[in-house]
Each structure stands twice: as structure tokens, then as C-alpha cells.
């Protein structure tokens, strides 16, 4: 059974804190993605990675960074959390997008920044 | 860039048929995905269209017309469990999602 796991389902942090969101996949996928999902705005791509140590900016990378030291793990980092980063964060992994490979999503982390 | 438009909400009756439309403006893409997302859950894959035409998969079918910049998801014999959001997404080197259509099914 394919699986994408995220380190926390719910997280509460304070403004200015450094936040790490971890994502692990067990499908040997090369591609991994971080999205945030907000009411009325849908799923928006923050960063993605096609290979170890490789990263590409998505549509809304400001205020975020990522790390991919191992193929199975993709971390999203909020260097200094702000209240406008309160959101649902979804990680996904998959094969080559250009070949129509589906993305498998993790259960999501609901982050609240106070 | 890619501009993807879907209706925000739709309502249909159990047992009926519903068509969820997706229009887009883009200079090019590899294919178009449809995902289903139940409230509080992660999106799950429904279909992928590369060529123009209809792809049928059980009660769900997806259609693509590249020349018209248009796709739709057709759900037949609606069941209460089909109440969910349906996300249209374009694929090039990454996947860009529309805002989704929330479908309500009435008994």
C-alpha cells in the first residue's frame, strides 16, 4: 500500500518561530511537492523537487524553503513563521508529471501560527 | 501562465448525472488531471487526459478539448459518497490546480 506520511496532523506555533514540516514517501518516487490549501484559493504549489538535493520554486515560495537530502524525505521550512502562513500543508509524491503519473498526497498538516 | 476556472459549488440529486466543467487559458500543457477531495482528507487521483476525447472509468468520465480550452468531469448514478470537491489540474513540468468545485449531493 503506497504511503506518504507527514510528521504532524496539527501544529500550533508562535509568530517568528522556525517551523519544520516533514514528509516521507515509501514509493521510491523521484518527484516530491509541497502545497498549501486555503479556502477560496485552492491548492497552491510552494516548492517541488525532482531529485535529491534539487529544488524548484512553485507559485508561492516566499517565506518558505525546502530540503531534500534523501530521496524519500522532503522537508518544508518556515524560517520565521507569520500568521498569514496559517494553512493546511499537503505533501505529495509521484512519478514524472509529464507522463501523466498521478500524485499521491499525504494526510496534511494543519498549521496555526499565533 | 495558466488560468484555470471551475464553478465554486454545484448541487445534484442522488442517482442523477452531473457535469463539472473546467476551462483554462494556457500556452501549452502535457495533460489534464481530475482529483477528488473529501472534506478533511487529501486529494485522490480520478483521471488523466492527454488526447482530446472522452475517457470512461466506471461511473466517472473525463473529457478534454484542447482546441476549446475545456474539460469536464461527468459523474453518473450519483451516490451520497460523491459529495466532495473536484479539482481540475494542468500538467507540464509541475501540476497546477484549479480552485476546485464543491459538489453537494441531495437525497
Amino acid at each position: 500500500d503506497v504511503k506518504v506520511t507527514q510528521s504532524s496532523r496539527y501544529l500550533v506555533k508562535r509568530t517568528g518561530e522556525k517551523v519544520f514540516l516533514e514528509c516521507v514517501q515509501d514509493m521510491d518516487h523521484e518527484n516530491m511537492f509541497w502545497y498549501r490549501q486555503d479556502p477560496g484559493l485552492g491548492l497552491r504549489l510552494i516548492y517541488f523537487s525532482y531529485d535529491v538535493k534539487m529544488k524548484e520554486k512553485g507559485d508561492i515560495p516566499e517565506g518558505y524553503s525546502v530540503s531534500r537530502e534523501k530521496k524519500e524525505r522532503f522537508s518544508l521550512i518556515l524560517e520565521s513563521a507569520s500568521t498569514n502562513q496559517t494553512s493546511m500543508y499537503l505533501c505529495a509524491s509521484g512519478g514524472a508529471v509529464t507522463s501523466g503519473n498521478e500524485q499521491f498526497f499525504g494526510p496534511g498538516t494543519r498549521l496555526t501560527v499565533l | 501562465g495558466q488560468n484555470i476556472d471551475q464553478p465554486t459549488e454545484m448541487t445534484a440529486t442522488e442517482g442523477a448525472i452531473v457535469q463539472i466543467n473546467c476551462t483554462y487559458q494556457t500556452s501549452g500543457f502535457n495533460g489534464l488531471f481530475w482529483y477528488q477531495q473529501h472534506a478533511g482528507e487529501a486529494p485522490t487521483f480520478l483521471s488523466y487526459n492527454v488526447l482530446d476525447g472522452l475517457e470512461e472509468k466506471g461511473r466517472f468520465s473525463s473529457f478534454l478539448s484542447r482546441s476549446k480550452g475545456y474539460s469536464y468531469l461527468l459523474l453518473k448514478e450519483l451516490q451520497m459518497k460523491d459529495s466532495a470537491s473536484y479539482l481540475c489540474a494542468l500538467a507540464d513540468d509541475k501540476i497546477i490546480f484549479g480552485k476546485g468545485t464543491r459538489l453537494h449531493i441531495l437525497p
Side-chain angles (χ1 to χ4, degrees):
Chain A
D1 196 20
V2 297
K3 195 174 275 188
V4 179
T5 56
Q6 295 183 228
S7 48
S8 308
R9 287 303 303 270
Y10 299 93
L11 207 54
V12 179
K13 295 291 182 181
R14 297 217 172 266
T15 301
E17 280 192 80
K18 190 168 186 175
V19 182
F20 292 87
L21 302 182
E22 306 284 344
C23 175
V24 177
Q25 51 101 358
D26 66 359
M27 294 164 280
D28 202 35
H29 286 151
E30 269 141 25
N31 307 311
M32 296 187 75
F33 306 82
W34 273 107
Y35 296 89
R36 63 178 282 178
Q37 189 170 33
D38 302 285
L41 296 176
L43 269 170
R44 293 181 292 166
L45 182 63
I46 305 171
Y47 268 97
F48 59 106
S49 169
Y50 284 150
D51 203 351
V52 175
K53 296 192 186 295
M54 178 271 180
K55 61 185 178 184
E56 292 281 347
K57 292 180 179 179
D59 297 318
I60 51 163
E62 297 77 21
Y64 303 95
S65 62
V66 289
S67 171
R68 190 147 180 224
E69 296 296 317
K70 293 184 178 181
K71 190 176 185 179
E72 66 271 18
R73 188 180 296 270
F74 192 35
S75 303
L76 181 69
I77 303 151
L78 287 66
E79 294 289 342
S80 178
S82 63
T83 54
N84 63 12
Q85 292 178 310
T86 292
S87 186
M88 171 66 85
Y89 289 88
L90 287 159
C91 173
S93 74
V97 170
T98 52
S99 300
N101 289 286
E102 67 176 283
Q103 291 188 346
F104 294 88
F105 284 83
T109 296
R110 186 165 292 283
L111 173 66
T112 302
V113 182
L114 303 175
Chain B
Q2 295 148 337
N3 219 13
I4 304 171
D5 290 309
Q6 305 178 233
T8 304
E9 287 191 77
M10 299 181 69
T11 302
T13 306
E14 192 176 14
I17 298 173
V18 71
Q19 178 174 310
I20 302 173
N21 295 328
C22 171
T23 58
Y24 57 85
Q25 292 160 355
T26 180
S27 55
F29 62 99
N30 287 299
L32 188 144
F33 286 94
W34 282 95
Y35 279 78
Q36 180 190 58
Q37 186 177 23
H38 285 100
E41 296 182 14
T44 55
F45 171 82
L46 286 178
S47 67
Y48 180 69
N49 291 66
V50 175
L51 302 175
D52 284 5
L54 190 68
E55 295 271 349
E56 296 187 71
K57 199 185 280 189
R59 294 189 299 115
F60 292 11
S61 303
S62 56
F63 173 84
L64 176 65
S65 169
R66 287 179 180 266
S67 60
K68 294 181 179 172
Y70 165 64
S71 172
Y72 66 74
L73 182 69
L74 192 71
L75 292 75
K76 302 176 188 174
E77 300 167 19
L78 284 170
Q79 301 175 9
M80 297 304 293
K81 67 179 182 179
D82 298 331
S83 292
S85 289
Y86 292 87
L87 313 178
C88 168
L90 292 176
D92 48 35
D93 59 337
K94 55 186 185 285
I95 298 179
I96 301 298
F97 285 86
K99 294 178 182 178
T101 299
R102 188 175 300 174
L103 177 64
H104 305 277
I105 309 295
L106 302 176

